[in-house]
Every structure is written in structure tokens, then in C-alpha cells.
């Protein structure tokens, strides 16, 4: 129905957080940088892109199955109060699970990226 909505909202909030982090990183440019360190703003942009990509695919899938239409109310689940309740329940359960899973995958991804970055830094220092 509309489980992709929560991913879109989370991506919007994280985009604002990413902008704030980017401003702080630019303000702290005098801090020593290593050539292989990945910035937090870049890591957050990975998460935003993952959330938006998943939401886009779900949006297309919902159009394919006729759950989203080109005329108001756009979401077919909003045509009756009972369907709207089911839609909100789906957003809160399935949407939350999707955001949590994407975030967990992102955490594993940044841990791996940090380890790879540390290996590159240690190899560069040895040379």
C-alpha cells in the first residue's frame, strides 16, 4: 500500500542531517585529514541513496499492482477509512522494518568501508 512512505521520510530527515554534518566538516577543514578516510557526510549520502532507491523500487511495484493511481486520492488505500487504517498500520510495521533493515545493511557497509580504509592507510604509511 504505502510502506515506501517511511523510507522517503527517513531519507528526507537524513538529508537535512547530512547537510548539517557537511557544514561542520567544511568548518573543520583545518583538522588533519588522511587520504583514505571516508567522511560522515559521504556515508550518510550512501544511506540516503539506499533509502530513496528502495522507496523508488517499491513505488514502481505499487504502481504495477494498481495500489497507486494517477488521480486523487492517489493511494487506493485511502478510499475508505478501514483501508486507511490498514495502510497506516502497514507504514508503521512494514515500513519500519524496511528502514531498519536498510540501516543495518548500511552499518555493515560502513564498518567494512572503514576497515578497508584503515588497511589502505596503513599500507600507504608503510611505503
Amino acid at each position: 500500500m504505502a510502506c515506501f512512505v517511511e523510507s522517503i521520510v527517513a531519507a528526507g530527515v537524513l538529508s537535512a542531517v547530512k547537510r548539517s554534518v557537511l557544514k561542520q566538516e567544511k568548518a573543520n577543514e583545518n583538522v588533519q585529514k588522511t587520504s583514505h578516510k571516508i567522511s560522515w557526510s559521504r556515508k550518510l549520502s550512501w544511506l540516503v541513496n539506499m533509502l530513496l532507491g528502495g522507496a523508488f523500487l517499491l513505488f514502481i511495484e505499487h504502481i504495477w499492482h494498481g495500489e497507486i493511481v494517477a488521480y486523487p486520492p492517489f493511494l487506493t488505500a485511502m478510499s475508505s477509512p478501514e483501508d486507511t487504517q490498514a495502510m497506516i498500520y502497514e507504514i508503521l510495521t512494514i515500513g519500519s522494518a524496511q528502514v531498519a533493515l536498510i540501516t543495518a545493511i548500511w552499518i555493515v557497509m560502513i564498518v567494512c568501508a572503514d576497515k578497508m580504509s584503515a588497511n589502505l592507510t596503513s599500507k600507504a604509511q608503510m611505503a
Side-chain angles (χ1 to χ4, degrees), residues 80-106:
S80 72
E82 297 83 23
D83 289 342
T84 303
Q85 278 185 325
M87 177 189 69
I88 291 171
Y89 180 76
E90 181 182 321
I91 291 171
L92 295 175
T93 56
I94 305 299
S96 296
Q98 290 170 351
V99 170
L101 180 63
I102 289 171
T103 304
I105 292 169
W106 173 76

Side-chain angles (χ1 to χ4, degrees), residues 3 14 16 21 23 28 36 40 46 51 75 95 99 115 119 122:
C3 53
L14 286 169
V21 168
K23 285 181 185 178
N28 294 332
H36 299 290
W40 268 104
W46 295 345
L51 288 167
L75 296 170
V99 170
K115 286 187 180 192
N119 286 342
S122 65

Side-chain angles (χ1 to χ4, degrees), residues 53-74:
F56 177 73
L57 290 174
L58 284 169
F59 180 75
I60 298 300
E61 186 268 338
H62 287 318
I63 289 173
W64 185 269
H65 288 110
E67 296 170 348
I68 298 174
V69 292
Y71 49 87
F74 304 111

Side-chain angles (χ1 to χ4, degrees), residues 2 4 11 23 40 48 50 53 60 73 79 90 97 99 105 109-111 124 127:
F4 62 91
K23 285 181 185 178
W40 268 104
V48 169
M50 290 169 69
I60 298 300
S79 59
E90 181 182 321
V99 170
I105 292 169
M109 196 170 101
I110 63 169
V111 167

Side-chain angles (χ1 to χ4, degrees), residues 2 13 15-16 22 26 29 34 39 41 45 58 60 72 80 86 92-93 98-99 113-114 116 118 123:
V13 169
S15 291
L22 185 61
K26 286 184 179 181
E29 281 184 354
T34 60
S39 66
S41 59
S45 70
L58 284 169
I60 298 300
S80 72
L92 295 175
T93 56
Q98 290 170 351
V99 170
D114 284 343
M116 291 171 61
K123 286 180 182 179

